[in-house]
Amino acid sequence: MLILILDSILIVLLFTPFGLILSNENQKNLDYFSTQLLYGLIIISFIALSLNFFLPLNKNLNSLILLLPIILILKRKKIYFSKEFLIFLIASASIISILILESNVYRPDAGLYHLPYIKILNDEKIIFGLSNLHVRYSHISIIQYLSAISNNIIFNGNGIIFAQALIAASVIINFSYKIYFYNKNKNYNFHFFYLVSTLIFIIYKMNRYSEYGNDAPSHFLFFFLVSELLNSNKENIKDFCNSVILMSFIIFNKITLLMCLLLGLIALKKINLYEVFKLKRFYFLIIFIVFWFLKNIIISGCVIYPVKSLCFKSLIWSDLQ
């Protein structure tokens, strides 16, 4: 148990600084740190996806990537050596440890395609026509890349079990802190009741980590997306771009949540699109999307499998019947 707690603290400590790339401002509270960790997980997943085009995500490569957050931590000592960040570490590690300890075994479809695909990512660079080995490899989620890159010399193979728990812990802490803040200021608005009702639902219906798979993290992220859109400055270009990045990440986890794009259309009404093109994070989004669909084409011959209109029958590895 002690090793699990220490690993939980370390993985939060090392993964959170990646989120600085998409963070809008430097603060020191649980809202900011939990949001930064979520965006950090998106950045790490993108790094894993990009590297796998050229290299297997083996332990040595994954361990080398951890040098970046160590550098960021040392450069931002005022943030990461603060009492607030220590509280965030303890809170996150506690939730992660409880989730994992209370699960008997990691079993939702894991033996069928989650774990085999993670093993492939750790051993091989991207494989053309991989779906010909089995059709299940056409439906892989981005979270498997997050799991694969978590297998390093610090956590070893145990690192792959943390991905879903990191997302869950971030959202639970984010919602809890906002509820506390609203209650402290006696501000009982619509957002407050949304957070309370959603958190109750999470505690009641999403307390079995062994059943998380790809579905639960996608729903956690969707709940967080709605919260951010309810609470964001609708004219803030960076907030809008971050929301679209989050939407993309959700869809790459679970294509059936494509409906979340409708939320983006609502937010789009008050956005000056010309300003979006000035943001570096917009180009990050474009590259992320292109890489994901390119990965799909290389693996299955389809942009989205098995939509026939989005498949390239001329590709010799296309497995569409």
Side-chain angles (χ1 to χ4, degrees), residues 35-68:
T35 302
Q36 189 182 122
L37 176 56
L38 279 175
Y39 285 120
L41 299 176
I42 294 176
I43 295 296
I44 298 166
S45 301
F46 172 74
I47 292 172
L49 173 66
S50 305
L51 288 174
N52 192 241
F53 278 96
F54 312 100
L55 298 165
L57 301 176
N58 57 47
K59 285 186 180 181
N60 293 332
L61 177 63
N62 296 344
S63 302
L64 188 63
I65 292 167
L66 295 180
L67 291 176
L68 176 58

Side-chain angles (χ1 to χ4, degrees), residues 270-318:
K270 294 187 177 182
I271 295 297
N272 183 347
L273 288 179
Y274 294 105
E275 295 295 322
V276 174
F277 293 105
K278 298 179 182 179
L279 296 178
K280 293 179 181 178
R281 65 191 70 191
F282 169 75
Y283 297 99
F284 163 79
L285 170 63
I286 297 300
I287 295 170
F288 193 8
I289 293 173
V290 169
F291 276 26
W292 180 255
F293 289 129
L294 179 59
K295 182 272 299 180
N296 288 349
I297 293 171
I298 291 174
I299 287 176
S300 68
C302 302
V303 177
I304 300 176
Y305 184 91
V307 182
K308 292 185 178 180
S309 60
L310 297 177
C311 294
F312 300 92
K313 296 180 181 179
S314 58
L315 296 176
I316 60 174
W317 64 84
S318 178

Side-chain angles (χ1 to χ4, degrees), residues 59-291:
K59 285 186 180 181
N60 293 332
L61 177 63
N62 296 344
S63 302
L64 188 63
I65 292 167
L66 295 180
L67 291 176
L68 176 58
I70 292 173
I71 293 171
L72 291 173
I73 289 170
L74 293 176
K75 288 184 67 175
R76 303 292 184 98
K77 291 180 181 178
K78 290 184 179 180
I79 297 177
Y80 299 113
F81 283 52
S82 65
K83 179 182 71 175
E84 292 79 5
F85 187 67
L86 178 61
I87 293 172
F88 173 67
L89 282 179
I90 295 172
S92 301
S94 299
I95 294 173
I96 291 169
S97 299
I98 291 171
L99 284 172
I100 295 175
L101 284 172
E102 290 299 314
S103 63
N104 297 325
V105 62
Y106 184 71
R107 61 181 174 230
D109 299 329
L112 288 176
Y113 59 92
H114 296 179
L115 297 179
Y117 193 75
I118 292 170
K119 176 65 174 174
I120 291 171
L121 292 175
N122 287 149
D123 291 343
E124 306 287 343
K125 65 179 181 179
I126 194 167
I127 300 173
F128 281 76
L130 178 62
S131 64
N132 287 282
L133 183 61
H134 198 287
V135 69
R136 65 175 68 108
Y137 295 129
S138 303
H139 305 285
I140 292 302
S141 300
I142 187 67
I143 202 166
Q144 269 71 69
Y145 287 83
L146 176 58
S147 295
I149 204 170
S150 302
N151 178 9
N152 51 51
I153 60 174
I154 297 177
F155 310 113
N156 295 307
N158 292 332
I160 68 173
I161 69 171
F162 286 100
Q164 289 86 345
L166 285 164
I167 292 173
S170 300
V171 174
I172 291 170
I173 290 172
N174 187 275
F175 282 18
S176 299
Y177 178 80
K178 285 175 178 173
I179 290 170
Y180 165 78
F181 183 80
Y182 279 136
N183 186 58
K184 182 180 179 182
N185 292 280
K186 301 187 183 304
N187 182 10
Y188 304 114
N189 56 22
F190 179 79
H191 188 221
F192 169 82
F193 289 107
Y194 168 79
L195 294 171
V196 172
S197 58
T198 305
L199 193 58
I200 292 172
F201 175 82
I202 288 171
I203 294 171
Y204 179 67
K205 295 290 290 184
M206 304 175 75
N207 53 18
R208 294 183 180 179
Y209 191 58
S210 57
E211 298 179 357
Y212 271 23
N214 294 332
D215 293 349
S218 304
H219 289 104
F220 272 111
L221 292 167
F222 183 78
F223 297 150
F224 177 75
L225 171 64
V226 173
S227 172
E228 289 296 283
L229 290 175
L230 287 174
N231 197 42
S232 67
N233 179 352
K234 294 180 174 58
E235 296 182 3
N236 188 299
I237 301 296
K238 290 183 177 180
D239 283 350
F240 170 77
C241 208
N242 279 1
S243 295
V244 178
I245 290 171
L246 186 57
M247 290 174 201
S248 302
F249 192 74
I250 292 170
I251 294 168
F252 295 164
N253 267 307
K254 203 71 179 174
I255 191 66
T256 52
L257 288 176
L258 193 64
M259 63 177 183
C260 72
L261 288 178
L262 295 175
L263 299 175
L265 293 176
I266 296 172
L268 188 61
K269 293 181 178 179
K270 294 187 177 182
I271 295 297
N272 183 347
L273 288 179
Y274 294 105
E275 295 295 322
V276 174
F277 293 105
K278 298 179 182 179
L279 296 178
K280 293 179 181 178
R281 65 191 70 191
F282 169 75
Y283 297 99
F284 163 79
L285 170 63
I286 297 300
I287 295 170
F288 193 8
I289 293 173
V290 169
F291 276 26

